[in-house]
Every structure is written in structure tokens, then in C-alpha cells.
């Protein structure tokens, strides 16, 4: 039976519009984005299969947003998921930029998590702030293992000067989901802080993004 033959209260789209998006499962939300299924599977069954094959929603979103095609997702369906991800990020970015200032570096955690949490590879990014700690921009600077070989202080200094930043918040993700700062994380943070002190840029925090709440290195006393 096709989803269009289901009672209206059980169809994902109608359920979302009448009862709210929070009432839908991950597979049902994916079904709304996918629009339709494939031969032999309705959109919800396809959503469940994609989630199971990927190992969860975060992994699936990372695959859809990455350069490698995702089995079971054609270009149109993949584009819808990537567009939804980008809209969510831009909405969070607007909220962040509307703040008069970041009262705490943790204010940026939701946005940075949305940018980095789902990625299947490590990304090191930088949130640039003015002298009142208002957001100027966010940039992904490096990809790969976060250590002295992949994060170059000279490039970080150059980027800060380009944005005329007075302060920064660093963030990187752990694809494993374990958000504990490693010895390499602590070492590169110290190196970057020392390099940026020379040009008058303060390092407010370095957030490690994994499953759950980001870990703040400032709150851990690691800056």
C-alpha cells in the first residue's frame, strides 16, 4: 500500500503539518524530505533502510553532505537532504549573529555542532569575533587529523587578520562521537593561542564536537 493510501493522520507530511515535526520519527522526517520511495519501498521504508545502512542519522547526513554518492539516494533526494541541512545551519547562524555579544563561548555550541557533528572526517573551524565578541564569520580551515601536521598556526593567524578578528573560538569534531580533548588537541590549542597573542587576538575557547553537548576546553581549564 502506498503512503498516499494511508489514513491522513498517519501520513508523514500531514502528520507534520497538523501535529508538529517533533512527533515524527527520523524515518518519517526523511520520508518528507525524500518525497517518494523506490520500487518496492515507500518513502518511510526507504528512510529506515538508509538509517540502518548508514548506522544512524548523523552518519547518513554526513554521507549525503559529502562528495561520495550515498547508495539508495539519487541526486534529487540527496539534494533535498543537503538543502535541509544547509537551511538549518543558516538559521542557527542568523540567531548567532543576532546576539549582541557571546556572553559565553558556549553560546556558539549549537551552531558549531550543526556545522561539524555529522561529518565523517575531522574538520577544524574558527569562529571569528569582533572586540565586543559579536560574530564576524565562521570558516572551515583544515580537514583531517587535528595535530601539528594538519593545523598550521601561520594560516590561522592570516585568516584572523583577514577577518579583522579580535577574538576567536576554535572548534573541531571527533567522528567517533567521543568529545574528549586529546593530547594533540591540547597541544595545538596552546600553539595557536601563543601565535595569536603576538597579533592581539584572544582565544576564548576550543570546542570539541562529538555526540551530545560539545566539550569546552576553556571550561576544562585547558586554555
Amino acid at each position: 500500500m502506498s503512503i498516499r493510501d494511508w489514513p491522513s493522520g498517519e501520513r508523514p507530511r500531514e502528520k507534520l503539518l497538523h501535529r508538529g515535526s517533533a512527533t515524527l520519527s527520523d524515518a518519517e522526517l526523511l520520508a518528507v524530505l525524500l518525497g517518494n520511495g523506490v520500487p518496492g519501498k515507500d518513502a518511510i521504508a526507504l528512510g529506515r533502510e538508509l538509517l540502518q545502512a548508514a548506522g544512524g542519522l548523523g552518519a547518513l547526513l554526513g554521507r549525503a553532505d559529502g562528495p561520495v554518492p550515498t547508495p539508495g539516494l539519487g541526486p534529487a533526494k540527496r539534494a533535498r537532504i543537503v538543502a535541509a541541512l544547509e537551511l538549518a545551519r543558516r538559521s542557527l547562524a542568523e540567531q548567532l549573529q543576532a546576539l549582541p555579544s557571546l556572553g559565553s563561548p558556549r553560546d556558539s555550541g549549537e551552531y558549531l555542532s550543526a556545522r561539524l557533528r555529522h561529518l565523517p572526517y575531522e574538520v577544524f573551524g574558527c569562529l571569528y569575533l569582533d572586540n565586543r565578541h559579536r560574530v564576524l564569520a565562521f570558516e572551515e580551515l583544515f580537514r583531517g587529523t587535528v595535530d601539528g601536521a594538519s593545523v598550521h598556526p601561520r594560516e590561522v593567524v592570516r585568516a584572523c587578520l583577514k577577518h579583522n578578528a579580535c577574538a576567536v573560538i576554535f572548534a573541531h569534531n571527533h567522528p567517533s562521537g567521543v568529545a574528549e580533548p586529546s593530547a594533540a588537541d591540547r597541544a595545538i590549542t596552546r600553539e595557536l593561542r601563543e601565535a595569536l597573542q603576538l597579533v592581539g587576538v584572544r582565544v576564548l575557547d576550543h570546542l570539541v564536537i562529538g555526540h551530545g553537548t560539545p566539550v569546552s576546553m576553556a571550561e576544562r581549564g585547558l586554555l
Side-chain angles (χ1 to χ4, degrees):
M1 181 185 293
S2 169
I3 288 178
R4 69 186 63 182
D5 298 321
W6 293 11
S8 61
E10 296 180 15
R11 299 174 201 157
R13 187 181 303 165
E14 286 77 4
K15 189 175 172 182
L16 182 149
L17 293 173
H18 292 99
R19 294 165 57 186
S21 58
T23 66
L24 274 65
S25 67
D26 291 347
E28 288 174 321
L29 288 169
L30 279 173
V32 174
L33 281 175
L34 296 172
N36 51 58
V38 295
K41 294 186 186 72
D42 60 38
I44 294 180
L46 177 59
R48 290 194 191 107
E49 184 178 282
L50 289 169
L51 288 167
Q52 184 175 9
L57 182 60
L60 175 62
L61 295 177
R63 291 185 186 180
D65 202 20
V68 181
T70 302
L73 284 181
K77 290 181 172 60
R78 189 178 178 204
R80 291 189 197 112
I81 292 176
V82 174
L85 270 175
E86 185 58 27
L87 283 171
R89 292 181 189 130
R90 293 185 186 190
S91 174
L92 289 170
E94 281 186 356
Q95 295 173 41
L96 194 63
Q97 291 176 327
L99 293 175
S101 67
L102 295 186
S104 162
R106 304 283 295 186
D107 292 341
S108 61
E110 187 176 9
Y111 170 71
L112 293 169
S113 291
R115 288 296 303 253
L116 303 178
R117 175 178 288 152
H118 67 283
L119 297 175
Y121 46 83
E122 285 197 24
V123 168
F124 180 93
C126 186
L127 194 65
Y128 306 98
L129 309 174
D130 67 11
N131 60 350
R132 295 184 182 179
H133 295 174
R134 294 174 299 191
V135 175
L136 297 170
F138 173 80
E139 229 175 4
E140 292 184 9
L141 292 177
F142 307 103
R143 292 188 178 188
T145 303
V146 177
D147 57 25
S150 62
V151 177
H152 306 290
R154 180 175 60 182
E155 297 302 319
V156 176
V157 170
R158 183 180 298 168
C160 289
L161 294 176
K162 179 184 74 174
H163 289 284
N164 197 29
C166 293
V168 292
I169 296 173
F170 298 130
H172 79 278
N173 63 312
H174 282 178
S176 67
V178 179
E180 283 300 311
S182 66
D185 298 338
R186 295 192 293 272
I188 194 61
T189 303
R190 288 193 298 270
E191 190 175 347
L192 291 172
R193 185 189 60 196
E194 291 168 2
L196 289 172
Q197 280 177 342
L198 298 176
V199 292
V201 177
R202 294 180 58 215
V203 177
L204 300 185
D205 206 347
H206 185 164
L207 298 179
V208 184
I209 311 295
H211 298 322
T213 304
V215 171
S216 164
M217 292 179 67
E219 290 183 354
R220 292 280 187 91
L222 300 175
L223 289 184

